[in-house]
C-alpha cells in the first residue's frame, strides 16, 4: 500500500493537468480539439520534475506554434502531406534529438501527427492556435505552481551532495581512515552532472548558467576523485599540521554546501584564498594537486555570483561540428544515430498519411498515429512497443466493449474518460497496460461518432497495419540496434580521447586553443561512458567484466588529460620553453598509444604497444614539477593498463 500511494502521489500532478486540459478545452472550444490534450500533458509530464524556467517555456511555445502551422499546411492536400511528413519529422529529430536524448523530438512529433488527425480549414486556424496558446498557458501555470508549492527547487542538488561527499572524505583523511565508500559514490554523481550540463545546452551554446556551474563543480569532484586515487596513501595518518589543514578545508566545503548560491560567496572566496595561501600540505605533490583543485573551486564560486541559472552562456559556444545549424552538412550522414532514425520516422509517417489521403477511410488516421507511437529510436525498444501496443489494444478493445455495453449516456462517457486518464498516467510508460487505458480513452471518443463494433474493427485493423509497417521499417530501414550503437560508442570514446589530446598538443606547439571544444568533449566522454555502461546489461559475463575494467581506466585517462591541459593553460609563460616542447613530445607518445589501443579495441586486432618507460625520470625537465610529471607518467601507465587488458582478452 505505501508503494501504491507513492505512485499515485507521483502521478497526481500529471493527472490533474490532463483532466484540467481535457474538460476545459472540451467545454470552451469543443470536442474537436480534445486531441491536443495528449501532447500538452506530455510537456508537463516531462518537465514538472525540473526547475521552472520561463525562458525554456517561451522557446517551447514558439516551436509548438511553428509545428502547428506545419501540421495545418500538411492538411492542405495529398502532396502537401507527403512533402511535409518527409521533411518536418526529419528536421525535428535532427535539431532536437541526440544519442544522449533520443526522445527529445517526441512531444513535438506527437503534436505534428495528432494535429493532422483533425485537419482544420483556414478560417479555423486562429481557433486552433488559440487552443494551443491556451493549453500552453495552463501547462506553464501548472509548472510554476508545482515548482513553488509542491516540488522543492533543487538549487544544485547534486552539487550539494558532492560537496557533502568531499567534506566526509576530508574528515576521514584527517583521521587516517578509508574513504573508499565516498570515493566510489562520486562517479555516478559525475555522470548525472554531465547529463544536467548536456540537458541545459541550446542550439548554439554549450550550457546555460545552471549547466556552467555544474560543469565547474564536476571538474572539482573529478579532480578530487583522482587526488584520492593517486596522491593519497591508504591508511596513512597525516601529522597534526596536515590534519588541521584538511579539517579546515572540510569546514570550508561544508559552509559552501550550506550556503551554495547564497549571499556569502564572496566571503567564501576570501576564506578559500586565505587557506590557499597558507603552507598547506607538506607533501609537494599533494600540495600542488590540491592547489589545482582549489583553483577550480574558486572559479566555480565566482561563477555562482556572476551567472543566471537560466541564461544561455553565449561565450560557451558549441563547437562547429556540434552546432546543428552550422554543421548542416552532417544532416545527411546515414551513419549518424539521429539521422538514421529521422529517415525511418519520416518514411513511415509519409506512408501513413499518404494512406489516409488516398483511402479517405473514417478514422484511418489511427494507422499513422499508431505507427508513430510504435517507432522508437532503438530497434529493440520499437519491438517492445509493437508488442505492448498489440496486447494493449486487444485488452482495451475488450474493456471498451464491456464498458460501452453498460454505459450509454454522455456523462457516463465523460466519467469513463476521466477514469482512464487517471490510470493512463498511473501506469508505467513502457507497460502494455497503459495502452489498454489509452485505447479505452480513444474508443470512448470514437464511440461518439461511430458504432462500437465498427470502431473496434477499424482500430484493430489500423493497429495491425501499423505493426507491420513499423516492424518492416525497424528491420530494413536503417535500424539502430543496441549492438551497433554499443560498438559506435566504444569507438567514439577513443575518438574523444584523441580529440582532447590533440587540443592540448596544439596549444603546446602554437598557443592556439578553443576551451569550448575541450568542455564539450569532456561532457560527451562521460555520457558515452554511461551509454556503454548501460549497454553492458545485455552482454555476456566476460564482456561485462572486460568493459567494467576498461571504463574506469578511460575515465582516469580523461581526468589526466584534463588536468594536463589545465596545468599548461594556467601557466602560459611555459609556452615555447623546454616545458612545452617536452610536454608536446609526451602528448605525441600518448596520441600514438591511444591510436594503437583504439585499433585493438574497435577492430579486435592487437597492435604492438610502445615502451613507455617505467620511471618518472623518463621525462627529464618535467620532473621539476612533481604534479605535472606524475600526471604525465600516470597517463602513460593508464594506457599501458588498457593495452594489457586488451591483451588479456585476446589471450585468455
Amino acid at each position: 500500500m505505501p508503494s501504491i500511494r507513492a505512485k499515485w502521489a507521483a502521478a497526481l500532478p500529471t493527472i490533474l493537468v490532463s483532466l484540467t486540459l481535457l474538460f476545459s478545452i472540451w467545454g470552451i472550444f469543443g470536442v474537436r480539439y480534445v486531441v491536443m490534450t495528449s501532447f500538452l500533458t506530455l510537456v508537463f509530464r516531462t518537465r514538472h520534475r525540473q526547475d521552472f524556467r520561463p525562458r525554456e517555456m517561451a522557446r517551447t511555445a514558439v516551436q509548438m506554434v511553428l509545428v502547428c502551422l506545419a501540421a495545418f499546411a500538411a492538411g492542405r492536400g495529398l502532396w502537401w502531406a507527403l512533402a511535409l511528413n518527409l521533411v518536418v519529422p526529419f528536421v525535428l529529430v535532427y535539431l532536437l534529438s541526440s544519442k544522449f536524448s533520443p526522445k527529445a523530438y517526441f512531444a513535438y512529433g506527437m503534436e505534428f501527427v495528432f494535429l493532422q488527425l483533425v485537419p482544420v480549414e483556414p478560417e479555423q486556424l486562429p481557433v486552433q492556435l488559440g487552443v494551443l496558446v491556451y493549453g500552453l498557458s495552463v501547462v506553464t501555470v501548472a509548472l510554476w505552481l508545482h515548482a513553488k508549492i509542491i516540488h522543492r527547487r533543487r538549487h544544485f542538488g547534486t552539487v550539494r551532495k558532492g560537496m557533502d561527499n568531499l567534506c566526509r572524505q576530508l574528515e576521514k583523511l584527517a583521521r587516517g581512515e578509508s574513504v573508499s565508500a565516498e570515493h566510489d559514490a562520486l562517479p555516478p554523481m559525475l555522470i548525472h552532472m554531465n547529463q544536467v550540463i548536456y540537458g541545459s545546452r541550446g542550439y548554439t551554446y554549450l550550457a546555460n548558467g545552471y549547466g556552467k556551474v555544474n560543469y565547474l563543480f564536476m571538474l572539482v569532484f573529478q579532480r578530487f576523485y583522482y587526488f584520492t586515487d593517486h596522491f593519497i596513501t591508504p591508511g596513512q595518518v597525516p601529522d597534526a599540521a596536515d590534519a588541521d589543514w584538511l579539517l579546515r578545508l572540510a569546514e570550508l566545503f561544508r559552509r559552501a554546501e550550506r550556503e551554495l548560491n547564497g549571499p556569502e560567496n564572496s566571503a567564501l572566496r576570501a576564506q578559500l584564498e586565505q587557506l590557499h595561501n597558507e603552507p598547506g600540505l607538506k607533501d609537494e605533490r599533494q600540495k600542488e594537486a590540491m592547489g589545482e583543485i582549489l583553483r577550480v573551486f574558486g572559479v566555480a564560486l565566482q561563477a555562482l555570483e556572476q551567472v543566471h541559472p537560466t541564461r544561455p552562456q553565449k561565450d560557451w559556444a558549441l563547437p562547429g561540428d556540434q552546432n546543428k545549424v552550422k554543421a548542416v552538412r552532417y544532416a545527411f550522414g546515414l551513419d549518424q544515430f539521429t539521422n538514421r532514425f529521422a529517415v525511418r520516422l519520416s518514411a513511415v509517417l509519409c506512408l501513413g498519411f499518404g494512406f489516409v489521403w488516398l483511402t479517405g477511410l473514417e478514422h484511418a488516421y489511427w494507422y499513422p498515429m499508431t505507427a508513430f507511437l510504435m517507432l522508437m529510436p532503438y530497434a529493440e525498444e520499437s519491438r517492445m512497443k509493437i508488442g505492448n501496443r498489440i496486447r494493449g489494444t486487444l485488452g482495451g478493445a475488450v474493456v471498451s466493449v464491456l464498458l460501452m455495453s453498460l454505459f450509454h449516456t454522455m456523462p457516463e462517457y465523460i466519467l469513463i474518460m476521466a477514469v482512464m486518464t487517471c490510470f493512463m498516467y498511473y501506469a508505467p510508460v513502457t507497460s502494455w497496460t497503459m495502452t489498454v487505458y489509452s485505447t479505452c480513452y480513444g474508443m470512448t471518443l470514437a464511440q461518439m461518432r461511430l458504432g462500437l463494433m465498427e470502431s473496434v474493427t477499424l482500430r484493430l485493423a489500423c493497429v495491425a497495419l501499423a505493426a507491420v509497417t513499423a516492424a518492416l521499417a525497424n528491420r530494413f530501414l536503417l535500424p539502430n540496434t543496441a549492438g551497433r550503437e554499443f560498438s559506435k560508442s566504444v569507438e567514439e570514446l577513443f575518438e574523444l580521447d584523441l580529440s582532447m589530446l590533440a587540443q592540448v598538443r596544439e596549444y603546446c606547439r602554437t598557443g592556439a586553443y578553443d576551451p569550448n571544444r575541450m568542455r564539450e568533449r569532456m561532457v560527451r566522454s562521460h555520457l558515452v561512458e554511461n551509454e556503454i555502461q548501460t549497454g553492458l546489461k545485455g552482454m555476456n559475463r566476460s564482456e561485462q567484466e572486460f568493459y567494467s575494467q576498461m571504463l574506469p581506466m578511460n575515465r582516469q585517462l580523461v581526468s589526466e588529460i584534463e588536468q594536463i591541459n589545465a596545468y599548461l593553460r594556467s601557466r602560459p609563460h611555459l609556452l615555447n620553453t623546454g616545458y612545452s616542447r617536452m610536454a608536446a613530445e609526451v602528448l605525441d607518445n600518448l596520441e600514438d598509444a591511444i591510436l594503437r589501443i583504439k585499433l585493438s579495441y574497435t577492430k579486435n586486432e592487437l597492435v604492438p604497444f610502445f615502451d613507455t618507460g617505467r620511471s618518472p625520470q623518463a621525462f627529464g625537465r618535467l620532473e621539476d614539477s612533481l604534479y605535472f610529471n606524475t600526471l604525465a607518467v600516470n597517463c602513460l601507465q593508464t594506457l599501458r593498463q588498457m593495452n594489457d587488458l586488451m591483451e588479456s582478452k585476446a589471450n585468455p
Side-chain angles (χ1 to χ4, degrees), residues 291-563:
E292 292 297 306
I293 294 173
L294 297 184
R295 184 174 63 82
V296 179
F297 180 56
V299 174
L301 291 178
Q302 188 174 14
L304 278 167
E305 295 180 4
Q306 297 175 346
V307 303
H308 188 279
T310 62
R311 189 166 297 152
Q313 299 301 294
K314 298 295 181 63
D315 56 329
W316 281 36
L318 279 175
D321 61 335
Q322 294 299 310
N323 187 312
K324 295 291 185 72
V325 178
K326 292 182 179 179
V328 70
R329 64 183 183 277
Y330 297 115
F332 305 102
L334 295 183
D335 61 328
Q336 300 296 316
F337 174 84
T338 50
N339 296 349
R340 293 168 68 87
F341 175 64
V343 169
R344 190 160 64 254
L345 181 62
S346 293
V348 168
L349 289 181
C350 183
L351 177 64
F353 280 104
F355 174 84
V356 172
W357 279 95
L358 289 172
T359 61
L361 293 174
E362 182 76 20
H363 285 266
Y365 57 72
W366 279 340
Y367 166 38
M369 178 194 74
T370 307
F372 169 80
L373 296 173
M374 288 178 172
L375 208 61
M376 292 287 110
Y378 281 97
E380 291 80 5
E381 187 179 6
S382 264
R383 286 197 290 269
M384 180 192 71
K385 287 283 187 180
I386 292 170
N388 284 348
R389 181 63 54 173
I390 292 173
R391 289 194 294 271
T393 302
L394 290 172
V398 172
V399 174
S400 297
V401 170
L402 292 175
L403 291 175
M404 299 304 154
S405 63
L406 296 173
F407 305 105
H408 308 284
T409 66
M410 182 61 71
E412 290 170 337
Y413 290 162
I414 293 175
L415 180 60
I416 290 172
M417 293 176 66
V419 171
M420 292 305 156
T421 296
C422 294
F423 282 102
M424 187 164 52
Y425 291 112
Y426 169 78
V429 177
T430 57
S431 66
W432 66 273
T433 54
M434 183 178 184
T435 305
V436 172
Y437 306 131
S438 63
T439 298
C440 291
Y441 180 99
M443 295 297 292
T444 304
L445 277 175
Q447 166 72 4
M448 300 177 189
R449 294 185 58 185
L450 299 175
L452 177 59
M453 296 313 298
E454 184 181 356
S455 299
V456 170
T457 303
L458 186 58
R459 182 81 170 207
L460 293 177
C462 288
V463 168
L465 185 58
V468 171
T469 304
L472 290 174
N474 200 44
R475 176 68 177 84
F476 298 107
L477 188 57
L478 303 175
N480 290 323
T481 63
R484 178 186 184 277
E485 292 309 314
F486 184 89
S487 299
K488 292 276 290 182
S489 294
V490 173
E491 185 174 359
E492 183 180 0
L493 197 64
F494 289 108
E495 289 174 351
L496 290 169
D497 295 342
L498 289 168
S499 177
M500 288 187 283
L501 198 61
Q503 293 175 68
V504 185
R505 187 183 59 185
E506 181 69 13
Y507 176 74
C508 289
R509 295 193 184 281
T510 67
Y513 182 73
D514 179 6
N516 292 326
R517 286 186 62 206
M518 178 65 74
R519 293 165 183 154
E520 195 275 336
R521 267 52 171 179
M522 281 284 298
V523 172
R524 271 206 294 150
S525 180
H526 283 283
L527 296 180
V528 170
E529 175 193 335
N530 189 51
E531 290 288 309
I532 296 173
Q533 189 70 51
T534 303
L536 292 179
K537 296 176 182 177
M539 304 184 75
N540 60 49
R541 186 178 181 84
S542 62
E543 291 291 323
Q544 289 181 355
E545 291 178 353
F546 173 75
Y547 284 104
S548 294
Q549 295 178 66
M550 187 272 282
L551 290 177
M553 293 179 187
N554 190 82
R555 187 190 313 132
Q556 177 174 306
L557 176 65
V558 168
S559 179
E560 288 160 347
I561 294 174
E562 185 276 324
Q563 290 181 80

Side-chain angles (χ1 to χ4, degrees), residues 38-56:
S38 300
F39 60 81
L40 290 169
T41 303
L42 182 60
V43 173
F44 176 84
R45 188 175 192 178
T46 55
R47 298 194 177 190
H48 75 288
R49 296 187 182 278
Q50 305 171 5
D51 290 338
F52 176 68
R53 295 169 181 167
R55 185 188 297 267
E56 290 188 7

Side-chain angles (χ1 to χ4, degrees), residues 193-208:
M193 293 175 76
N194 279 278
Q195 290 170 337
V196 170
I197 299 162
Y198 191 86
S200 76
R201 72 195 291 171
Y203 294 121
T204 59
Y205 56 88
L206 179 63
N208 61 16

Side-chain angles (χ1 to χ4, degrees), residues 12-25:
L12 184 59
T14 305
I15 292 171
L16 292 176
V17 169
S18 182
L19 291 176
T20 300
L21 288 168
L22 170 64
F23 294 126
S24 62
I25 290 175

Side-chain angles (χ1 to χ4, degrees), residues 71-102:
F72 167 75
R76 296 302 86 212
L78 173 62
W79 295 110
W80 280 100
L82 294 177
L84 288 171
N85 278 283
L86 277 176
V87 173
V88 174
F90 187 95
V91 171
L92 288 175
V93 174
Y94 172 73
L95 288 179
L96 301 176
S97 295
S98 72
K99 187 175 183 176
F100 311 119
S101 55

